[in-house]
Amino acid sequence: MYHANSMMYCFIFFAFLAMMRSTHSKTFTVEMPSIDTLEEEAYVCRVIPFSDYERAYIVGLHMDVDRSRVHHLTTSVCEEAISKEEIWGCKVTQGSNCIGASAGFGGWDKYTLDKHDFTFPNDLSIEVGSKTRMKNLVLQLHYTTKQTNQTKPAAKVVFQLSDYPTRYQFQLYTIGNRGYIPSNTPKGFLTNVACRWELPSVKAYRYRVHTHHIGFHVEAFLIRNGTWILLGSALSQAKTKNWYEVLGGPKRIEHGDILAARCLYINSNAKNVHFGMENDNEMCSFSLELGYRKEDHLHFGKQFYCEAESPTFRFNNFPSLNYF
């Protein structure tokens, strides 16, 4: 009886916090100022300290991006930025622009057709501020063309902050490939990737997928005791959504589970297409929005990845995966 009452009080408490965050919020606006770049497809980063906030919780954001100039925008929070400059070229360090704790959460690319809004589920947020691990915000912008004599910012992001914590803290987990897609595969080629979950249990809420020009479909699975559970599946060329709900609602990922993904490509070219960050490279990306308990924070200080080499890695190479 005591346990049941404790669970009820816990539920009421977090429901109260979810209600309060919608009524006690503030905004934090940042821009990527107009700059000149030395090359096409430049990557530029800007760091902004959360100096005005000791402790707050990011619960959503709105992205206003110049589609004609920007290939994609990503937002992340950091313990410390990798550069001492406020604005720097980050093509070499893209995706690794932080020292210490970090989490990447918001994103936009020029192919996305839906609204430029991102909102966390009610029991999920990111704790930021001068008295937290996440003391800085980092914007990363990938320009499509060389930038000269621009007068308007290429991007503006408005963050919604709450004063109230949530049950879970956010971290991003990305499943993807390195290597290449073989040439002359007009009937399709599936890349494979799989990793065992060795961390404390988490809650998976939503997913997003990403490929470039010859990628068409991405899907991922949770495998437990030999049973394959589809987490999500999407046509990557459609790009009508940034995030999709995990199929059947949020899923628990437990220690010992296996996470696996595959991407479908049609490469009619006479040469291999390599995975990479350039527009003419390819990507295979299935990203999961995870929530972890605050007491497990030491395990989730940085966003993390599951990667495998294409075309050599196949599901039937993975121990105990039981793929047929």
Side-chain angles (χ1 to χ4, degrees), residues 224-276:
R224 181 177 297 157
N225 299 324
T227 300
W228 289 61
I229 303 166
L230 183 63
L231 291 172
S233 175
L235 296 172
S236 56
Q237 295 285 340
K239 297 188 182 291
T240 55
K241 277 183 173 292
N242 275 324
W243 292 92
Y244 299 87
E245 302 292 329
V246 165
L247 295 180
K251 296 285 190 298
R252 299 293 300 181
I253 300 174
E254 307 286 351
H255 186 276
D257 290 344
I258 297 170
L259 294 169
R262 58 187 178 186
C263 295
L264 172 65
Y265 298 92
I266 298 176
N267 184 11
S268 301
N269 301 313
K271 61 180 182 179
N272 300 332
V273 177
H274 287 263
F275 290 99

Side-chain angles (χ1 to χ4, degrees), residues 140-178:
Q140 177 181 281
L141 215 61
H142 175 190
Y143 291 97
T144 52
T145 58
K146 187 176 179 180
Q147 300 294 297
T148 57
N149 301 320
Q150 298 290 339
T151 59
K152 294 183 179 180
K156 180 174 75 172
V157 186
V158 181
F159 296 87
Q160 183 182 5
L161 305 178
S162 171
D163 293 324
Y164 295 92
T166 51
R167 183 192 298 262
Y168 296 105
Q169 287 289 298
F170 164 84
Q171 188 53 275
L172 184 70
Y173 182 67
T174 299
I175 311 171
N177 282 108
R178 56 183 182 269

Side-chain angles (χ1 to χ4, degrees), residues 61 63 72-75 105-109 112 118 208 242-243:
L61 59 89
M63 296 163 281
H72 71 260
L73 163 75
T74 60
T75 60
F105 57 99
W108 175 94
D109 68 54
T112 302
F118 173 87
R208 66 184 180 194
N242 275 324
W243 292 92

Side-chain angles (χ1 to χ4, degrees), residues 12-25 122 162 164-165:
I12 293 172
F13 173 72
F14 282 106
F16 171 76
L17 290 182
M19 178 188 71
M20 291 301 291
R21 88 169 189 175
S22 65
T23 57
H24 289 73
S25 62
N122 279 338
S162 171
Y164 295 92

Side-chain angles (χ1 to χ4, degrees), residues 122-139:
N122 279 338
D123 57 352
L124 190 64
S125 65
I126 300 180
E127 185 181 61
V128 298
S130 61
K131 291 190 175 181
T132 73
R133 291 190 304 167
M134 305 303 189
K135 295 176 172 59
N136 299 283
L137 169 72
V138 173
L139 297 185

